[in-house]
Amino acid sequence: MSDNSLWFGFLEAGDKSTAVIIDHGLNTGKPDTVYIFNQSRGKILEYNRSIVEPKLRELSSQDADTKAELKNAYLQVRAGFEPRASRVLDIPERGARTTEAEQPKENDSKEELDLVSVGSDDEIEDDTWSDDEN
């Protein structure tokens, strides 16, 4: 993670004002929200952009000590955080019900299948079956 993807700032919200970090690598999955690390709460929270952006200001270069402390706290919280947008939902399509036995095998082909049948005298016959009537 590079410092270029991190934005260090201050959320001016009266009694709840605090230093914050926005990690541009975290995606909420919604264009109207943003994840922000809130130092006073010690959490990465989802904020509505239209509400929070006017209340943010960038930390100045004089706040180097604050940035280092803020980054260390963020990295500890970030290690256990999983953004909602990164979760893969494995939801089958509606009405699609297939079992492992119903799914085609890699070697099966729609055009041609090799069939093996057992005769009455236990001899194995190897026939090639095809959809084409050639």
Side-chain angles (χ1 to χ4, degrees):
M1 170 186 329
S2 72
D3 283 345
N4 294 339
S5 69
L6 300 179
W7 181 85
F8 295 85
F10 193 79
L11 174 63
E12 295 174 339
D15 315 358
K16 298 180 181 182
S17 295
T18 185
V20 295
I21 290 181
I22 297 176
D23 184 344
H24 297 289
L26 295 178
N27 183 4
T28 64
K30 299 178 183 178
D32 58 336
T33 63
V34 63
Y35 282 128
I36 299 178
F37 172 70
N38 182 313
Q39 185 180 29
S40 65
R41 303 253 323 253
K43 293 181 179 180
I44 298 172
L45 303 170
E46 186 173 358
Y47 289 87
N48 187 313
R49 285 182 188 272
S50 63
I51 295 171
V52 76
E53 285 179 348
K55 298 177 182 184
L56 294 172
R57 71 166 172 83
E58 192 165 0
L59 289 181
S60 66
S61 59
Q62 298 167 347
D63 297 320
D65 293 338
T66 303
K67 282 184 179 181
E69 181 182 326
L70 185 59
K71 184 175 181 180
N72 287 335
Y74 169 72
L75 291 175
Q76 288 178 350
V77 171
R78 175 65 179 100
F81 180 75
E82 184 179 334
R84 176 180 57 238
S86 71
R87 297 180 200 141
V88 176
L89 298 177
D90 189 19
I91 301 172
E93 290 184 33
R94 186 176 185 157
R97 295 183 186 184
T98 59
T99 64
E100 190 174 312
E102 294 173 334
Q103 294 179 359
K105 305 248 187 302
E106 286 181 27
N107 295 337
D108 290 350
S109 167
K110 289 184 180 181
E111 273 74 7
E112 185 172 273
L113 296 175
D114 290 333
L115 300 178
V116 176
S117 60
V118 178
S120 60
D121 54 353
D122 290 331
E123 292 180 15
I124 297 177
E125 296 179 26
D126 191 357
D127 295 329
T128 301
W129 178 82
S130 175
D131 284 339
D132 297 333
E133 293 187 20
N134 301 16

